[in-house]
Amino acid sequence: MSLRTDTAPTDTAPPLTLPDGLTLEAAELRVLDMPIRFAFETSFGVQRRRFVPLLTLRANGLEGYAEGVMDHLPLYREETVPGALALLEGQLLPRLLGRSFTTPEAFTLALAPYRGNRMARALMEMAFWDLWAKHLGLPLWRVLGGVRTGIPVGVSLGIQESAQATVDLAADSVAQGYGRIKLKIKPGWDEEPVRAVREAFPGIQLTVDANSAYTLADSAALQALDAYGLKYIEQPLAFDDLVDHAELQRRLRTPICLDESITSVADTRKALTLGAARVINLKVGRVGGHLEARRIHDLTLAFGVPLWCGGMVETGVGRAHNIHLSTLENFTLPGDTSSASRYWDHDIIQEGLEVEGGVMPVPEGPGIGVTLDREVLDRVTRQQTTVRAGARPRIDDLPDQPPTDEVY
Ligand code: OSB
Ligand code: MG
């Protein structure tokens, strides 16, 4: 077939038609108290529960859900639950509610001028994507452009009291079919558990995660891990230091994977250009939402750098978002989205998100494809506020609130 050249060129562009927008009516912001089924020890502390900000956005008779991945203390990164609540309730929600958005890109643009606070922005952005996909009547993964209906996943195992306890836990995970074991490490607790698990499971895909606990002065301890065929060493150095990671990568054979350091596509480009990482852990809740996550996905694909989807001990809502994102092409390594029942006796969704044979199925319904279990939700809710269209931005501690147009 040849190209037709006989059609007259049009001198006017076809009219640009955008899909009908969503007009945001109200937001419900809850804080959930979720006890974890075990004490989860990392280099920065022992976590026994999570205080989870859960956002519901309402528009056009639909509801969109997302959860925040910040902790109540700034241990993993700087953002906190109390800080995010104040920003969302006092500023971001009042400024966005009442407005119409014709695409998720338009919604993200409205949040783009605000610096940092990517976990708080992600909470709103992800809830909007869920709404949007429901508005289209499609599962989120199809709207994002995913290519698979099941996600290969692994487990993240906390620091244990002995190497034998670590091996026992790894054995359970292997028996359940998980395709990758990640061990949390810290200075003084690294080579011993790694050696023990590697000896017990010579063929398993094994990784470690230091959560920023080392410095360049610990290079020898990290070089010792080169002997165990690790797939990568996750975030060995400071959360905000790409230069030292690049130096460390030159001293190691094992690839470095960055987690905490990656908050944007700009960070990712700098990290990969510097040689600070050869693998990327992408957490949608850490980078500002699905749009930024997809930009990072596309960049790593172009760089030929493998990607995997990390986790922040999410409930079923955050877990579902992670699963949908993980359907994109370049998520070629097993992620951290293990079965919800590993973490929760009572999850806040009605559906189970359970791994079989190392694979997490992708929920099929519209949007994130999961529904809230209202009974559990109400039982674990510790705090709840509703913000409606028309609410004025406010600065809580000021006795006299200035008029809205004077607060930018
Ligand atoms: O560094 O990946 C991390 C949990 C909380 C905070 C940071 C991390 C983790 C995990 C667990 O490793 C991932 C999960 O199973 O959700
Ligand atoms: Mg990590």
Side-chain angles (χ1 to χ4, degrees), residues 76 182 184 209 211 234-235 259-260 281 283 308:
Y76 165 84
K182 157 170 145 183
K184 293 287 187 180
D209 186 358
N211 288 111
E234 188 176 336
Q235 196 70 41
D259 172 354
E260 281 90 327
N281 166 343
K283 293 178 179 171
W308 57 280

Side-chain angles (χ1 to χ4, degrees), residues 288-331:
H290 285 293
L291 203 60
E292 193 72 8
R294 202 167 58 185
R295 290 192 190 114
I296 294 172
H297 166 272
D298 295 352
L299 184 84
T300 56
L301 188 63
F303 267 82
V305 164
L307 192 64
W308 57 280
C309 180
M312 293 291 283
V313 189
E314 287 93 342
T315 74
V317 167
R319 220 163 271 276
H321 275 283
N322 292 344
I323 295 167
H324 285 276
L325 178 69
S326 304
T327 63
L328 297 181
E329 180 183 350
N330 200 37
F331 284 91

Side-chain angles (χ1 to χ4, degrees), residues 375-387:
E375 201 186 300
V376 174
L377 189 62
D378 287 341
R379 192 150 26 94
V380 298
T381 297
R382 290 290 168 273
Q383 198 179 307
Q384 181 176 345
T385 39
T386 299
V387 186

Side-chain angles (χ1 to χ4, degrees), residues 177-236:
Y178 286 106
R180 178 273 262 147
I181 305 285
K182 157 170 145 183
L183 305 179
K184 293 287 187 180
I185 58 166
K186 62 180 178 181
W189 186 251
D190 38 39
E191 192 175 358
E192 193 183 332
V194 167
R195 186 197 302 118
V197 173
R198 179 48 92 207
E199 278 173 8
F201 303 100
I204 190 88
Q205 190 176 126
L206 187 61
T207 74
V208 292
D209 186 358
N211 288 111
S212 295
Y214 294 81
T215 74
L216 275 182
D218 301 306
S219 294
L222 296 166
Q223 283 167 327
L225 300 178
D226 271 341
Y228 300 95
L230 301 178
K231 192 76 180 170
Y232 49 80
I233 297 178
E234 188 176 336
Q235 196 70 41

